[in-house]
């Protein structure tokens, strides 16, 4: 019999919890759920959107080391996902590239306002539409039942989403505690910082307050202004906040 495989990329911090959760819902199906510890996942980010695709595809097609190569399904600005065995150097597959570090990757996606993993999307502490998962091919409105489907579908069809996860930039150098309150100039709470790296971060904000002057309390107990942005990869109708 021909075997079928599905590769699931996940936050490594919840590897055991995720496997346990999926096994709970296996329901006597003949399915094996095992970690693929011999594989590595790489993000291939374009130097200029839309200008590297043909060159990169040619290198990958000529290589026998790539187990998988495909567009990142969340947004074209996140480039591609490359899966190889641990011992393979990705620069041998795409020689015209350079090796960045994890900080480069996180800064890139924070600039785009794209959440990832349990730090940005805490289990039990966020909603899929507030987290913009519908924009990232992460929610289906035609699929059958799944946990939370009724609430998600009702919210989608009513069109009332009061808060959204948005990219923010600190207008001065500071250190901030994640989960800190975001407030207006009059100190009215309008959201919370979800995560940050350097001067960039993600915050869950009330949409009606997005364009106001916003502030967050730094670890030195001083108010620092932050600026929220509206990602240009969102659907056009949802960028008019």
């Amino acid at each position: 019999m021909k075997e079928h495989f599905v590769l699931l990329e996940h936050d490594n911090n919840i590897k055991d919890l995720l496997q346990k959760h999926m096994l709970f819902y296996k329901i006597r199906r003949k399915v094996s759920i095992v970690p693929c510890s011999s594989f590595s996942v790489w993000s291939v980010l374009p130097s200029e959107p839309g200008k590297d695709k043909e060159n990169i595809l040619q290198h990958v097609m000529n290589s026998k080391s790539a187990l998988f190569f495909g567009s990142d399904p969340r947004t074209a600005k996140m480039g591609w996902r490359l899966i190889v065995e641990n011992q393979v150097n990705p620069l041998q597959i795409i020689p015209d590239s350079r090796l960045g570090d994890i900080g480069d990757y996180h800064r890139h996606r924070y600039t785009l306002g794209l959440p990832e993993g349990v730090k940005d999307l805490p289990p039990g502490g966020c909603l899929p539409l507030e987290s913009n998962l519908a924009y990232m091919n992460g929610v289906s409105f035609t699929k059958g039942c799944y946990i939370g489907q009724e609430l998600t579908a009702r919210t989608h069809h009513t069109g009332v989403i009061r808060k959204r996860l948005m990219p923010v930039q600190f207008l001065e150098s500071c250190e901030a505690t994640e989960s800190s309150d975001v407030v207006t100039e009059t100190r009215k709470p309008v959201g919370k910082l979800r995560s940050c790296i350097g001067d960039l971060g993600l915050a869950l904000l009330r949409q009606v307050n997005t364009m106001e002057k916003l502030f967050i309390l730094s670890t030195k107990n001083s108010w620092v202004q932050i600026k929220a942005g509206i990602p240009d990869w969102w659907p056009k109708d949802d960028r008019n906040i």
Side-chain angles (χ1 to χ4, degrees):
M1 291 181 64
K2 185 178 179 180
E3 293 183 324
H4 297 276
F5 297 88
V6 174
L7 291 176
L8 175 65
E9 184 181 346
H10 61 82
D11 187 327
N12 200 47
N13 292 317
I14 57 165
K15 177 180 65 176
D16 295 335
L17 181 62
L18 179 62
Q19 185 174 4
K20 181 180 178 181
H21 182 76
M22 295 185 69
L23 287 170
F24 181 79
Y25 288 100
K26 193 172 78 165
I27 315 175
R28 299 182 183 178
R29 297 291 183 181
K30 294 182 179 180
V31 176
S32 297
I33 302 172
V34 294
C36 300
S37 56
S38 60
F39 295 167
S40 295
V41 181
W42 294 87
S43 178
V44 183
L45 302 177
S47 58
E48 293 184 52
K51 290 194 175 182
D52 296 330
K53 184 175 181 180
E54 295 302 324
N55 186 35
I56 291 175
L57 284 175
Q58 189 61 47
H59 284 306
V60 174
M61 288 174 64
N62 293 336
S63 172
K64 296 181 180 179
S65 300
L67 300 175
F68 171 83
F69 182 81
S71 298
D72 192 307
R74 298 171 294 182
T75 169
K77 293 192 173 185
M78 281 302 296
W80 305 270
R81 278 305 206 243
L82 172 67
I83 301 178
V84 296
E85 293 183 347
N86 288 340
Q87 68 272 19
V88 174
N89 183 350
L91 298 184
Q92 295 175 347
I93 300 175
I94 310 174
D96 296 331
S97 60
R98 68 174 181 85
L99 195 64
D101 59 34
I102 194 66
D104 295 330
Y105 173 76
H106 289 314
R107 286 186 63 84
H108 179 74
R109 65 181 186 83
Y110 279 175
T111 300
L112 297 177
L114 196 145
E116 180 180 289
V118 296
K119 188 176 180 180
D120 299 336
L121 303 167
C126 59
L127 296 175
L129 298 187
E130 289 184 348
S131 303
N132 307 317
L133 298 193
Y135 298 164
M136 299 184 285
N137 298 306
V139 178
S140 172
F141 298 106
T142 58
K143 182 183 179 297
C145 294
Y146 53 87
I147 294 177
Q149 180 258 354
E150 185 176 338
L151 174 61
T152 300
R154 185 168 65 246
T155 303
H156 171 69
H157 291 298
T158 59
V160 181
I161 303 171
R162 294 183 174 84
K163 295 180 181 179
R164 283 199 181 275
L165 200 61
M166 306 185 74
V168 294
Q169 182 176 15
F170 294 82
L171 299 188
E172 59 183 275
S173 179
C174 76
E175 291 185 8
T177 303
E178 292 164 356
S179 78
S180 296
D181 286 335
V182 177
V183 301
T184 64
E185 205 165 7
T186 60
R187 303 300 180 252
K188 174 186 175 183
V190 294
K192 284 188 177 293
L193 182 69
R194 186 65 62 78
S195 54
C196 61
I197 179 171
D199 63 336
L200 300 173
L202 294 172
L204 184 66
L205 301 172
R206 288 180 59 85
Q207 294 194 75
V208 294
N209 302 107
T210 301
M211 296 297 104
E212 297 181 34
K213 287 186 177 181
L214 302 176
F215 298 84
I216 194 167
L217 195 62
S218 73
T219 54
K220 294 183 179 180
N221 208 35
S222 61
W223 291 104
V224 175
Q225 186 176 352
I226 64 174
K227 182 179 179 181
I230 301 174
D232 59 7
W233 56 271
W234 283 12
K236 188 174 181 179
D237 291 344
D238 290 322
R239 283 185 249 148
N240 300 320
I241 295 177

